[in-house]
Amino acid sequence: MITHTPQVPSSASVSKLMLHVGYALIPGTAAYVWLFGIGVLIQILLACITAVVTEGIILALRKRPVTQTLADGSALLTAVLLALAISPIAPWWIIVLGTAFAIIFGKQLYGGIGYNPFNPAMLGYVMLLISFPLEMTRWPAAFSLLEQTPTLQTSFDVIFNAGLGVDTVSGATPLDAIKTQLAQGVDISATLISPSYGELFGSLAGVGWEVVSLGFLLGGIYLLLTGRIAWQIPAAMLATLGVLSSIFYLIDSTQYISPLLHLFGGASMLGAFFIATDPVSAATTPRGRIYYGIGIGILTFVIRTWGGYPEGLAFAVLLMNMAAPTIDHYTRPVVFGQSRK
Amino acid sequence: MLAAIITLLTIAVIFGLILGFAAIRFKVDSDPVVDKIDALLPQTQCGQCTFPGCRPYAEAIANGEVEINQCPPGGDATIVALADLLGRDILPLNPENGEVKEEKTVVIIDEEICIGCTLCIQACPVDAILGAAKQMHTVIIDNCTGCDLCIPPCPVDCIYIVPEKTSANQWQWPNPNEVVPATKAEQPS
Amino acid sequence: MTTSLHQVYDFRGGLYLDEHKSISTSTPIEAALIPSILVLPLSQHIGAAAKPCVAVGDSVLKGQLIATADGRVSAPVHASSSGEVIAIEKRHVPHPSQLKAECIIIKTDGRDTVIEQEQTGLSNYHSLRSDELRQRIHDAGIVGLGGAGFPSHIKLKPGGHHVETLILNAAECEPYITCDDMLMREHAPAIINGLRIMQQALHAKHCMIGIEDNKIEAFTALQEAIGNDTDIDIVRVPTRYPAGGERQLIYSLTGKEAPSQGRPLEIGIVCHNVGTALAVNDAITKAEPLVSRVVTLTGSGIPQPRNIHVLLGTPVDDLLKHCHADSDDIGRIMIGGPMMGFVLDSTTAPVTKTTNCVLVTHKRDIQKPETSLPCIRCGDCADVCPVNLLPQQLYWYARSQEFDHVQDYNLFDCIECGCCDVVCPSRIPLVQYFRFAKTTIWQQERDKEKSDKARERHELRLERLEREKREKRERHNRKKAALKKEPDQKDDPKKAAILAAMKRVKEKKSTESVTPGNTDDLSSEQQSKIDAADARRAKNKKDKNGA
């Protein structure tokens, strides 16, 4: 019986936030489709359907309002991010399994949006990576590098027909190539100009991949300018990654990947602006977000350089998710009027 | 094999000594648990828990003789607080001991009818009734806990239960978790 | 007088809101109307309610004292117009609880006859000492007119602190409200004079006026009124809500943060509202008590929003009728602004000293109550909080009723400005949670105090019963002991006689034999047995007496 005040018209809403993040993904996704084929769109579609269906079932089981909760768009966003993170030529059951796992174990089990400690998309990704390393590490080559441009039929076959024709479209990713070569004792500089791997590398990073990363960077800047994400996380993460990789690159450029490759290769841009900034699982105090971003940057660099996986972002994000509450606790802002004067 | 046993045994002894030392050296003097329990009880001293006052009830809880859900004036809030303190399960309030009152009440004596028998004074557990034999009795409202123990002994039924006075600056905002939409004018037509 | 050269510090957080102010500033302040009845609550301020000093049936004149202050933190109440006291009873008052409170109800006679005051107005207030000034301000019933209603005479006491700066809060940052703006445009010289009076009462070294930069006419008017007085600086602050919050304004003007659990006086700063300054001026120079104030009547439910000089105690009903607001179209009435005001259910409630605005919203503009989603921890609320709190944490703990943690995160520093509420994407009513937590904590503290007292009284009662038991026992023992003692017979013949009598009774008892029954027809055997027993008894007695 008490009307709540303030009564000021406000346009803030969760679904609006998710929508704008969706808009920001368009440049990167468009580049993806243009350079690597329609596979990624199929994965996105599969993921979205799985996400909505899974969340709807769980909400019904939990006796929560289904339409209202689905309308906030967070499940769809998780689905899209996971679809962008995995290889577009992975079989269909990979994305379905991953998305279902992300929604159930990464989100709904904890109580739905706002209650999950881990980034659901990254949780799904890590589960897939550990359980199905083969399917998860088979990546396509940019169309420009293939002998023939694959047809639409090929894309469908690869995904739905048990990987039929996958060899015609796949290739190593730049980071992957460097790692395997280093393990065999070949220097990076040699890999960059080698006949088998040299052509993978463009001016910034991998051919094709660099444009996709640029696309995500553009989207990220859009989100920053419209105030949809906290600037501290991507800034801290990219700066840390850049600084660390620069230091090591200066020490020995034959053993350590260049900063540009770190920043524009792999999922750095996607991760910095879209994955690490997931508000629910990230740190929430302004200072805390800086430490959180720094932590992700450090861990990504460490895992990429010395770890067993070529891409360390997912693990880095999950590890920092665990640290987020502690970071928040120790970075509480000084309350107005309580400065240590 | 022997070396392993001896090593582990030595480690165990060392840690045991460290722990023992720490238990003595860093011991924190805390209130006995009875005091802590008593601090959570509402001090109405009404006896509805079947104990003669809040302190005996606290002692009984501490000894594990009785459950933590016996106190109607404390209500659910007290049960939850006790459960938190003692690590016991939260139980619903025991309905045998009486119901939770909807609003806080105090008592007043109707001076016209009072005969000055002092029976209510003897019954009041917090001495909130002022009076003497054959003299007027009156309730010190501020000290009345609403236990209603004075009502049965009164031979002339001159004690009435009235709601406790609240003023606007003691009013509480409702819990938004339980709020119903606003005034009629605001209901979407 | 320096103006733009003065440095302005930017307080963090806050929101840029739509102002909605120009709708109510196109016409000058309207003169007061005299309603048919005046409802004057006894508590229009922070502190103890005033005590009535008139009775039902009394005739009162405008400006007459009708209720005296009760204690130090209290303020008197005066009749706003002449008429007859028809009741002293509980009526609806403007309060979020919609509760009723004691009011003095006056039926006006329409003549508005002013009482002749005992003290005359002084144009030369310099002749008064500061405590005399404060006494007059107290007697005039002046309280903070910015909305808080703290008795002003207390806030004009330096109390051992050196007051470096007296700040006049001319910000008026909340949307819709324009009463202070119009006051400044039309009464700037009086306001400045009031400021000077307050400066004298406080022995303040320097004065500053903080005004938002959207109030151009008011700024000009004040500048003219200040003239060449170098003691007063008028500073424009950027228009951003809540620039008019006391602590935020102090920070903007001085760069200093008032201690969070203390008062600005501790850092040598005192802040008063422009309306209060005007009331102080009227009280000292014209000996007029506080009986009216300017109220903004605005919102989509008012055909022509305006500012009215309202007599205190005027029911809101009368104001709405005066503005031709169609009661069928009214969706919601709020007292105060859209951010910090509260909804008023009963329009019979009156305008009081702290009513700065009546905001009426048309039915068509009422939005459906929003359902809130779970908190997504986006942190937007923390970004806009002017006090640098973490509303998301306060919300989590207030919601789960963990009141210890909520205080850990400085709940009581929250000024309930509502910025966090407006930006929340999940549409969570954050301020409601904080208000709920605050009042529940206060109630818990009161309960604890009461239960501590009850425990003490119970223990004292147990001690008293013990003591009484003990004393009774001692008395009993003393009596027993006294009776046991053998008294000196010479000294007390009475006692000796009693003792002798008691001895005789005892002897008689012991010598008296029990008469056996069933003694008829005894056989010789039985008889001989009886004789033997008799002989034994007699022998025993002889032995006993002999020993």
Side-chain angles (χ1 to χ4, degrees), chain B residues 11-26:
Chain B
I11 295 175
V13 167
I14 293 176
F15 275 111
L17 285 171
I18 294 176
L19 283 172
F21 172 70
I24 298 171
R25 167 77 176 80
F26 299 111

Side-chain angles (χ1 to χ4, degrees), chain C residues 377-534:
Chain C
R377 304 180 68 73
C378 63
D380 284 352
C381 52
D383 287 338
V384 297
C385 179
V387 190
N388 240 355
L389 299 173
L390 288 175
Q392 67 269 51
Q393 296 298 103
L394 291 175
Y395 163 69
W396 283 100
Y397 291 123
R399 183 172 174 175
S400 55
Q401 300 190 36
E402 290 179 57
F403 295 120
D404 294 330
H405 286 126
V406 114
Q407 287 185 78
D408 258 347
Y409 280 88
N410 309 101
L411 172 71
F412 287 102
D413 281 292
C414 169
I415 59 174
E416 295 177 28
C417 66
C419 289
C420 51
D421 210 295
V422 172
V423 297
C424 177
S426 296
R427 314 309 305 133
I428 299 172
L430 291 166
V431 186
Q432 295 303 99
Y433 278 97
F434 305 155
R435 288 177 174 148
F436 158 67
K438 283 188 193 176
T439 49
T440 310
I441 291 174
W442 282 329
Q443 182 61 41
Q444 281 182 346
E445 282 175 9
R446 279 193 294 267
D447 284 344
K448 181 139 199 323
E449 240 184 82
K450 209 157 182 250
S451 75
D452 283 345
K453 204 162 62 162
R455 184 186 301 117
E456 216 187 299
R457 290 193 70 86
H458 181 66
E459 282 169 10
L460 286 173
R461 170 190 157 84
L462 290 176
E463 270 179 41
R464 170 176 75 85
L465 292 174
E466 263 306 307
R467 199 180 57 232
E468 285 177 3
K469 237 195 268 175
R470 216 177 33 237
E471 283 174 3
K472 209 171 170 184
R473 232 187 357 250
E474 280 172 12
R475 263 201 311 270
H476 182 74
N477 287 343
R478 270 202 303 271
K479 263 205 193 125
K480 243 169 102 177
L483 287 171
K484 270 220 173 93
K485 253 199 324 207
E486 296 275 325
D488 200 342
Q489 283 166 341
K490 259 194 268 166
D491 290 339
D492 203 347
K494 203 167 175 189
K495 252 199 183 142
I498 295 172
L499 277 171
M502 282 173 69
K503 233 186 188 157
R504 275 200 305 275
V505 167
K506 217 172 164 186
E507 277 175 351
K508 191 161 169 218
K509 266 210 182 127
S510 57
T511 50
E512 226 174 70
S513 49
V514 181
T515 324
N518 203 10
T519 46
D520 300 327
D521 290 331
L522 288 168
S523 63
S524 52
E525 216 178 277
Q526 284 166 321
Q527 189 59 52
S528 55
K529 275 202 178 131
I530 289 169
D531 289 342
D534 275 338

Side-chain angles (χ1 to χ4, degrees), chain C residues 330-389:
Chain C
I330 291 178
R332 172 177 64 224
I333 301 175
M334 281 176 72
I335 300 286
M339 297 294 285
M340 294 186 73
F342 55 88
V343 172
L344 188 71
D345 280 343
S346 168
T347 50
T348 57
V351 163
T352 64
K353 293 178 184 176
T354 52
T355 310
N356 51 3
C357 175
V358 177
L359 180 59
V360 182
T361 313
H362 198 283
K363 260 210 296 253
R364 62 168 180 254
D365 293 326
I366 300 289
Q367 293 166 319
K368 250 173 44 176
E370 298 168 302
T371 36
S372 51
L373 296 173
C375 166
I376 61 170
R377 304 180 68 73
C378 63
D380 284 352
C381 52
D383 287 338
V384 297
C385 179
V387 190
N388 240 355
L389 299 173

